Amino acid sequence: MADDLLKFVSINQQMPTKRTAGDRKADFDEIYDEFDTEGAKEQASRCSQCGVPFCHIHCPLGNNIPDWLRLTAEGRLEDAYEMASSTNNMPEICGRICPQDRLCEGNCVIEKDFDSVTIGSVEKYIADTAWENGWIKPITPAAERKESIGIIGAGPAGLAAAEELRKDGFQVHIYDRHDRAGGLLVYGIPGFKLEKDVVGRRTGRLEQSGITFHLDYEIGREATLSELREKHDALLIATGVYRARGLKAPGVGLGNIREALDYLTASNKVGFGDSVPEYESGALNAEGKNVVVIGGGDTAMDCVRTAVRQGAKSVKCLYRRDRANMPGSVREVQNAEEEGVEFEWLCGPEAFLGGENVEAVRAYRMRLGAPDATGRQAPEPVPDSTFNIDCDLAILALGFEPEDLPALFGSPELRVTRWGTVTVDHASMMTNLPGVFAAGDIVRGASLVVWAIRDGCDAAENIKSYLTAKQQDAA
């Protein structure tokens, strides 16, 4: 084994420098500095190069993590990027936003006693280095194919599929109802986790590669699904899921009770310099307010940390289970606490109190009872435990559900499951409509960006096989 590996016994885990909580609360910039070359090489050298790399197994993309860590440790950064990008269309994005503590790093074999290799930070470093050095070029297919493919949704699944299809020379068109490409990456994730120029580099490269973007284009308004099918040889539905999961509680209809995605989208648009009337009026602005966020996932963490940066008077997060059962990233919870967010563990909302607008949340304490169907302990209310929390802005971050796509697309024949997700043949990823495929959250339900990328790549392979077989049958 080379001298530049297996150094986890002599070198401690080290993340890139994190800005102080006081500094980072003042802006929406990313909170971690970048590794320098020596720092990245040093952390990569801690990889044990184990025979069964659990980091690789627990990565939805099957990234060859030990291989690009070894190349980084050896100073072969261009080769490291080539290795990382061979399985991941967006390594600099995954390096920033993947919950590594639940995936690759959380399953590193040296994690227990020596702390895991900081895989995400190294991934981010080698990809950013590749951009800075001009190693990432527009796609130039070996040969052009005449078949046209339409992709509905410019989020991670749609972008990943578009890249893979363009590599094979297909004519790719992406349709998205928003004014910028990127979907959740642009409007759902705050800049302190993912600065928007990072996404812009990726979408810009796809445009330079010959992929056509149709923005502000809503299926069902500009064209029905049937009309779009007539324009293309195949379609991919990759819309994601954006309809907020509701909460039934007295007073939930009061003013200043808002959905998480509306709140985050407004904040991100302001970051772009857009005029957002609801932000300017204060309806989607936490400045000077007592903010209560209800939920415990990564979206809830995005909301509480955004509220801090907007100058909230206080920020509290209510979650019905305890810290150990928090679905959000452990690092994100820690970052939020450092920035002044207060967590009310084992706590749920009973009612919203106020006149025209919410003035308080009546909450109750909870305890963990018997395990539910998934094996998690089910929370149950503690009798006579209610208390009030001052609240001027309540944000509901309870997850997302699919919109009614058959109605939205003007295509009642499109088959969906009882949960509203699109029904597909899981071997081919094709819907009940010939030549129409679906991938990402609209099939699997709300999930991680890294899974959307994986699904987009798999869908591209299935579309390629379908069109190739169709071409052969016609010959």
Side-chain angles (χ1 to χ4, degrees):
M1 187 63 67
D3 291 339
D4 48 13
L5 295 172
L6 297 171
K7 292 185 177 180
F8 64 91
V9 295
S10 58
I11 297 175
N12 293 328
Q13 182 193 66
Q14 183 65 52
M15 292 285 290
T17 302
K18 183 163 64 172
R19 299 163 61 209
T20 66
D23 285 344
R24 63 190 195 238
K25 284 162 59 175
D27 57 46
F28 280 81
D29 296 342
E30 291 182 10
I31 72 169
Y32 287 100
D33 293 335
E34 185 128 310
F35 267 137
D36 57 24
T37 301
E38 289 307 310
K41 289 174 63 176
E42 183 178 78
Q43 281 302 299
S45 75
R46 299 181 67 248
C47 178
S48 69
Q49 296 290 302
C50 53
V52 182
F54 292 149
C55 59
H56 164 83
I57 293 169
H58 287 271
C59 173
L61 288 165
N63 286 331
N64 301 310
I65 296 168
D67 293 336
W68 51 255
L69 286 174
R70 174 178 53 82
L71 292 166
T72 302
E74 294 171 353
R76 298 166 57 189
L77 295 180
E78 189 168 2
D79 292 336
Y81 174 76
E82 289 299 320
M83 179 64 69
S85 62
S86 68
T87 53
N88 188 351
N89 303 75
M90 309 173 195
E92 71 279 14
I93 292 174
C94 289
R96 286 169 163 85
I97 66 173
C98 266
Q100 288 96 4
D101 51 355
R102 303 206 309 261
L103 298 172
C104 54
E105 293 180 18
N107 290 280
C108 177
V109 297
I110 65 173
E111 189 272 337
K112 181 174 176 58
D113 296 315
F114 294 96
D115 294 327
S116 63
V117 177
T118 52
I119 295 167
S121 296
V122 176
E123 181 179 38
K124 170 189 168 184
Y125 169 76
I126 59 178
D128 284 351
T129 300
W131 281 106
E132 291 163 7
N133 284 279
W135 300 336
I136 302 174
K137 308 289 187 185
I139 300 164
T140 53
E144 295 288 346
R145 293 185 60 156
K146 63 181 178 61
E147 296 99 327
S148 172
I149 300 163
I151 296 176
I152 304 171
L159 295 177
E163 178 173 342
E164 294 305 305
L165 290 164
R166 186 64 191 131
K167 288 176 182 176
D168 287 313
F170 292 102
Q171 310 309 307
V172 182
H173 294 255
I174 302 179
Y175 301 87
D176 197 274
R177 61 183 174 183
H178 292 296
D179 57 347
R180 295 179 179 90
L184 180 74
L185 302 175
V186 168
Y187 287 128
I189 298 175
F192 52 78
K193 286 173 62 177
L194 177 62
E195 292 179 356
K196 303 312 166 189
D197 60 345
V198 175
V199 183
R201 290 186 308 200
R202 278 288 161 191
T203 56
R205 173 178 178 262
L206 295 182
E207 196 165 17
Q208 293 166 13
S209 302
I211 293 171
T212 303
F213 286 86
H214 305 266
L215 302 178
D216 281 320
Y217 195 109
E218 187 169 340
I219 311 305
R221 185 183 66 193
E222 272 70 32
T224 65
L225 187 67
S226 296
E227 290 169 340
L228 213 60
R229 290 179 70 191
E230 293 176 5
K231 294 175 63 175
H232 299 286
D233 297 288
L235 289 180
L236 173 64
I237 300 172
T239 58
V241 294
Y242 291 104
R243 187 171 65 185
R245 190 170 292 148
L247 174 67
K248 294 181 179 180
V252 76
L254 292 175
N256 288 348
I257 299 176
R258 306 305 299 256
E259 305 293 350
L261 192 56
D262 292 341
Y263 175 66
L264 294 172
T265 299
S267 178
N268 280 311
K269 284 190 171 184
V270 169
F272 279 117
D274 295 351
S275 174
V276 182
E278 281 197 290
Y279 181 90
E280 294 159 5
S281 70
L284 289 173
N285 185 350
E287 184 177 4
K289 295 177 180 175
N290 294 306
V291 178
V292 176
V293 176
I294 299 167
D298 289 333
T299 299
M301 296 306 97
D302 292 343
C303 289
V304 295
R305 298 182 65 203
T306 294
V308 167
R309 284 157 174 78
Q310 289 179 348
K313 182 179 178 181
S314 69
V315 183
K316 290 184 171 65
C317 181
L318 273 59
Y319 180 57
R320 60 182 183 156
R321 290 186 168 91
D322 58 13
R323 179 190 286 267
N325 286 278
M326 188 84 162
S329 165
V330 174
R331 284 180 184 159
E332 285 301 291
V333 174
Q334 180 183 349
N335 289 332
E337 288 180 321
E338 291 171 357
E339 293 165 6
V341 176
E342 299 177 54
F343 285 85
E344 293 283 356
W345 306 108
L346 290 166
C347 181
E350 183 178 76
F352 298 91
L353 311 176
E356 181 179 347
N357 295 320
V358 65
E359 297 172 10
V361 176
R362 187 167 69 217
Y364 54 86
R365 297 295 178 189
M366 307 190 79
R367 61 192 173 201
L368 296 180
D372 61 17
T374 67
R376 298 178 77 193
Q377 287 181 275
E380 55 189 35
V382 174
D384 303 319
S385 65
T386 59
F387 63 103
N388 291 346
I389 301 173
D390 290 341
C391 178
D392 306 308
L393 174 62
I395 301 172
L396 307 182
L398 302 170
F400 303 101
E401 298 173 338
E403 296 175 285
D404 184 355
L405 286 194
L408 186 66
F409 287 177
S411 184
E413 69 276 15
L414 178 66
R415 191 175 301 155
V416 296
T417 69
R418 62 190 178 97
W419 299 283
T421 52
V422 174
T423 301
V424 298
D425 176 287
H426 288 284
S428 68
M429 303 179 76
M430 193 185 299
T431 70
N432 65 301
L433 305 179
V436 179
F437 298 76
D441 287 2
I442 196 58
V443 174
R444 69 167 61 242
S447 187
L448 300 173
V449 167
V450 66
W451 274 114
I453 296 171
R454 166 67 185 269
D455 292 347
C457 292
D458 289 346
E461 283 300 311
N462 282 293
I463 292 170
K464 177 184 175 182
S465 297
Y466 167 78
L467 292 176
T468 299
K470 193 174 179 181
Q471 185 184 56
Q472 291 171 347
D473 290 343

